[in-house]
Amino acid sequence: MRRPVIAGNWKMYKKIGEAVEFIAALRPKVAEASHCEVVVAPPFTALQAVAKAAAGSNIQVAAQDVAWEKEGAFTGDVSAPMLCEAGCTHVIIGHSERRQIHGETDERVNRKLKAALEAGLTPIVCVGETLAEREANRTHEILERQFSGGFAALTASDFSRIIIAYEPVWAIGTGRTATPEIAAQSHRYLRSLIAEKIGKSVAEQIRILYGGSVKPDNIQGLMAQEEIDGALVGGASLKRDSFSAIVNYP
Ligand code: PEP
């Protein structure tokens, strides 16, 4: 039985005060949500304050990126041990905005993933095709490439600590959600890759979230798919009412 995860990616929104206020308001709204794990991913500056505001609740904290080195001359980067110190339990890696805007490669995703695992963080690794790739019938090829590069040289025990987020780029922030069937097809393909390359039981246990314009009015249809183990939510995670409605989907 895979426990669903509902994670909110705040991107570059919310200053510290707004973030703390949001958590105070969210806490009672998701306190009864024992059917899933609840994660929020604020910007770096608010991580520590959000972790403090969420202490003792069922809300866990993720960073939106991580450096692959522990320390050093890496201006602008934040390492995995630093994220742990700030109170993070999770980290998003390889989000399409990092891939597209910051030139994140599969090789970098792989290094960051290993650094996160070494520090004891739970990585939420994003994969997904662009619209042009989908229209050219290249979805499987892209997912295969992202999987082979991004998840290279990991053991079955590493996989037991990883969460994957399938996020078709054409559905992120566009209001255009993949239908539950389209999402489930890609999830099935990812699970078949894992079964083939790592093992069947790892593939059965790994949680694969869907991301791309998830909203209170489409979460139930998505979660009705056996293949979908939760959601990575962008825009709708910024408002406590829509995020708590998504968390409380059942
Ligand atoms: C995301 O940022 O990961 C995302 C899926 O965004 P949105 O829900 O706004 O499409």
Side-chain angles (χ1 to χ4, degrees), residues 7-11 92 95-97 126 165-176 210-215 231-238 246:
N9 173 16
W10 293 359
K11 313 194 186 201
I92 297 170
H95 190 278
S96 63
E97 285 152 18
C126 303
Y166 168 63
E167 299 210 310
V169 180
W170 47 272
I172 297 179
T174 58
R176 189 176 162 179
Y210 167 76
S213 299
V214 174
K215 305 272 183 281
L232 181 55
V233 186
S237 72
L238 293 169
I246 292 171

Side-chain angles (χ1 to χ4, degrees), residues 106-232:
D106 294 325
E107 193 244 334
R108 284 183 178 196
V109 167
N110 187 244
R111 292 176 79 179
K112 291 178 175 190
L113 177 47
K114 287 175 180 160
L117 288 169
E118 194 187 330
L121 290 165
T122 300
I124 303 175
V125 186
C126 303
V127 295
E129 79 288 358
T130 63
L131 184 59
E133 288 161 348
R134 170 159 286 269
E135 285 177 346
N137 258 332
R138 294 180 60 216
T139 299
H140 286 188
E141 173 199 329
I142 300 303
L143 293 179
E144 210 278 333
R145 194 208 69 212
Q146 291 173 338
F147 181 79
S148 302
F151 296 77
L154 296 178
T155 63
S157 110
D158 291 333
F159 271 93
S160 69
R161 296 171 47 209
I162 293 172
I163 297 170
I164 296 178
Y166 168 63
E167 299 210 310
V169 180
W170 47 272
I172 297 179
T174 58
R176 189 176 162 179
T177 324
T179 63
E181 293 73 24
I182 288 179
Q185 263 170 22
S186 292
H187 285 219
R188 258 192 299 280
Y189 178 67
L190 283 165
R191 231 180 266 291
S192 74
L193 277 179
I194 300 167
E196 184 195 317
K197 293 178 196 258
I198 314 294
K200 204 163 173 261
S201 74
V202 174
E204 275 163 11
Q205 278 160 28
I206 197 160
R207 289 174 295 181
I208 307 181
L209 317 184
Y210 167 76
S213 299
V214 174
K215 305 272 183 281
D217 63 5
N218 60 25
I219 184 69
Q220 281 180 341
L222 290 161
M223 292 307 294
Q225 293 285 335
E226 206 191 309
E227 275 299 329
I228 299 181
D229 305 317
L232 181 55

Side-chain angles (χ1 to χ4, degrees), residues 17-35:
E18 295 165 312
V20 168
E21 218 173 273
F22 181 97
I23 297 299
L26 183 68
R27 279 181 74 134
K29 288 183 172 278
V30 300
E32 307 299 320
S34 55
H35 58 282

